[in-house]
Amino acid sequence: MAGGTQGSGDAVSHTYENARTWLLMPSWVVLTFLALIPVILMLVYSFLTKEFRGGVIWDFSLAAYDQFFFDRGLFGDDPPTFEWTYITIFWRSIWQAGAATLLSLLIGFPTAYFIATRPAHSRAIWVFLITIPYWVNLLIRTVSMKFLLRDQGPLNDTLMGLGIIDAPLTLVNTNFAVQLGLFYSYLPFMVLPIYAAVERYNFSLSEAAADLYASKFVTLRRVLLPAVKPGVVGGCILVFVPSLGSFLAPDLLGGAKNYMIGSLIEEQFKGNAGNWPFGAAASMILLSMVLIVLIIFARSQAHREKGAK
Amino acid sequence: MFKSSQTHDVRSYLGFKTVTILCLIILYTPLLVVTVYSFNASKSITVWEGFSLRWYADVFVGPESAKFKLAAWNSFVIAIIAATVSTVIATLAATGMIRAGKFKLRPLSFGLISLPIMVPEIVLAVATLIFFNSIGFQRGFATIILAHITFCIPFAYLPISARMQGIENTFEEAALDLYASKKLAFSRILLPLMGPGIISGFLLAFIVSLDDFIITNFVKGAGVETLPTAIFGAVKQGIKPNIMAISTMLLMVSVVMVTISYFISKSDKTN
């Protein structure tokens, strides 16, 4: 997603032109067989009939998508009514991912801005400080967050010790815990693009605004924010997209009531209750949602670049 | 005087520093708390009973030590193999993309390389499981390694290609002018110059492989555990002190590796 070959103006030399096919062959083979074909196969599986105890029968069926959207009663012969269970889970996932993105933005934007306005030599240290936790195993970070937030955990102990609260707050197994977990999982994805955008920002624009008696808030909203908007949007997408399909934070911090797409999918492939075509269909719906977000983003970027020229 | 203080002022917003500090507190508190509690002498995770290395001893010689040692060994072997193979593949791919002229399939090739990070992790996990299942590939160690190589490729590719784009091809041109073969120009000129990028790519792939839970959980066979899947299984029964000791050790590994890569990239810039 980041880096790589943005635009067409990047430096490409011709030194190894004759060997091109051989240089690219290993990556093509591995990624075609272990990423592209599997995703296509998943689409196929979503249209197959489920085998009890996991797996599929190679018969075309729309049952998986039907089950997702319609309820046909216990024996499947009632007139179809709208099934809200799975749509609710998807809706909750979108909402939770959105809330986590907002939380990351509210904390990530000031942080990124603050870091980008430090003297040049200390910026690297600040960025380093923000990114270290990201390199710690995600499972360990999530477990640590759960340990901290527990009813008898250190956070509640401290707050009670300080006399701020009388009884422990219930934080684990709440929506907020999941949002905090997602924030903790993906914060650097928000901070880094915004940081890069603010670092490129020309501060004489802010000075000009100040000279023209714009208040600091107006300068922020009308001058700075529009200039760094691509960084902000990029950061939001980089947090929203992985949050949507996340598994660990909702599973460990959310509990059964705060079920998200990731757990729904995982459940279909574990144990005996599994329904592979349904899991594949849910994965396809998730993938489609992600692709829609990415396409809208790519279009707005292209539109913006065109506008700039 | 007034002017300079105002130009300085226009950059700073009230409260942004506080938010930054709050942000660092949120990021580090859970990790620090778990580190501190891993040295707790108590069997209970709630009560603090003084400093002890008891749970570290438990990790190495306790009743569950065999399980966690095997899981750690598996994780390490998988990460080494996956990072090595994906770094080689990514280096070749970067050379093909950046040093072999423009070609029609180039955008498609880039799309293919970044596919594993565009697709949500759980979707790739489902797809990979379905793939292995449909070709009748028995799930186990081999399936984990193949899956890890796949999703490590884009992570290795990003730093490697970024580095390669930053190296002018004049060095290789000079070697070719002096009658070096293309193979020689590649191995003696380009590869050494690529050193820091390749090391960063390898470290990134290594950490990403070590970190993975979801895909491993889908494609591992019964009985094969990596450290994250073993920890996840244990945490489902409740957070125990030995888990905190393992977590602290893994945390240290990550911090050391990130610090190494930080200094590599820093020394690289000064050259």
Side-chain angles (χ1 to χ4, degrees), chain B residues 9-260:
Chain B
D9 200 29
V10 86
R11 285 165 169 258
S12 69
Y13 280 90
L14 193 69
F16 277 23
K17 188 178 183 178
T18 319
V19 175
T20 307
I21 290 164
L22 175 76
C23 179
L24 289 175
I25 291 173
I26 300 175
L27 290 180
Y28 284 92
T29 307
L31 300 176
L32 288 177
V33 164
V34 163
T35 305
V36 168
Y37 272 81
S38 71
F39 294 106
N40 190 356
S42 168
K43 219 178 153 91
S44 147
I45 57 166
T46 319
V47 195
W48 176 258
E49 279 180 12
F51 179 87
S52 146
L53 289 174
R54 173 182 174 188
W55 299 111
Y56 288 86
D58 185 82
V59 169
F60 289 102
V61 295
E64 291 186 304
S65 63
K67 182 176 101 185
F68 284 120
K69 269 185 206 163
L70 181 63
W73 176 247
N74 285 344
S75 274
F76 180 73
V77 171
I78 290 164
I80 289 281
I81 297 175
T84 309
V85 176
S86 61
T87 304
V88 171
I89 293 176
T91 307
L92 295 176
T95 313
M97 293 284 284
I98 297 161
R99 285 288 201 264
K102 299 206 166 173
F103 53 103
K104 241 188 184 166
L105 292 176
R106 201 162 172 268
L108 204 69
S109 187
F110 183 70
L112 196 59
I113 290 169
S114 35
L115 187 66
I117 43 177
M118 305 281 280
V119 172
E121 210 185 348
I122 194 143
V123 174
L124 191 62
V126 169
T128 314
L129 168 66
I130 284 176
F131 175 73
F132 285 133
N133 183 266
S134 67
I135 60 168
F137 201 122
Q138 187 72 37
R139 273 182 271 164
F141 209 74
T143 48
I144 304 179
I145 289 181
L146 286 172
H148 278 231
I149 289 172
T150 309
F151 70 72
C152 283
I153 290 175
F155 288 99
Y157 181 83
L158 289 179
I160 291 173
S161 66
R163 171 81 189 172
M164 201 177 284
Q165 271 168 338
I167 299 173
E168 300 242 9
N169 75 327
T170 44
F171 304 106
E172 293 148 85
E173 294 291 324
L176 293 174
D177 285 348
L178 296 168
Y179 299 103
S181 69
K182 284 190 176 173
K183 264 186 194 154
L184 213 58
F186 178 77
S187 63
R188 294 283 187 81
I189 308 292
L190 185 59
L191 273 188
L193 284 171
M194 287 293 301
I198 292 175
I199 295 172
S200 309
F202 177 85
L203 288 177
L204 193 54
F206 185 86
I207 287 192
V208 166
S209 164
L210 212 58
D211 192 64
D212 180 71
F213 168 75
I214 296 177
I215 293 176
T216 312
N217 190 38
F218 269 72
V219 302
K220 79 187 177 69
V224 185
E225 300 284 352
T226 64
L227 215 39
T229 63
I231 293 174
F232 184 79
V235 166
K236 280 277 157 181
Q237 330 285 315
I239 304 172
K240 294 198 196 79
N242 62 342
I243 295 296
M244 289 193 271
I246 294 176
S247 301
T248 306
M249 287 187 280
L250 255 178
L251 200 155
M252 290 307 149
V253 172
S254 306
V255 171
V256 167
M257 289 193 59
V258 175
T259 312
I260 292 173

Side-chain angles (χ1 to χ4, degrees), chain A residues 217-272:
Chain A
F217 178 72
V218 170
T219 309
L220 175 77
R221 201 167 62 88
R222 303 286 289 272
V223 182
L224 176 70
L225 269 185
V228 300
K229 194 176 151 208
V232 173
V233 176
C236 287
I237 284 175
L238 288 176
V239 173
F240 182 79
V241 165
S243 295
L244 200 58
S246 66
F247 172 74
L248 285 174
D251 192 77
L252 290 171
L253 294 164
K257 260 201 246 160
N258 304 292
Y259 217 69
M260 279 173 58
I261 303 173
S263 309
L264 176 70
I265 293 174
E266 200 252 7
E267 204 178 51
Q268 307 306 321
F269 295 92
K270 292 281 150 188
N272 289 330

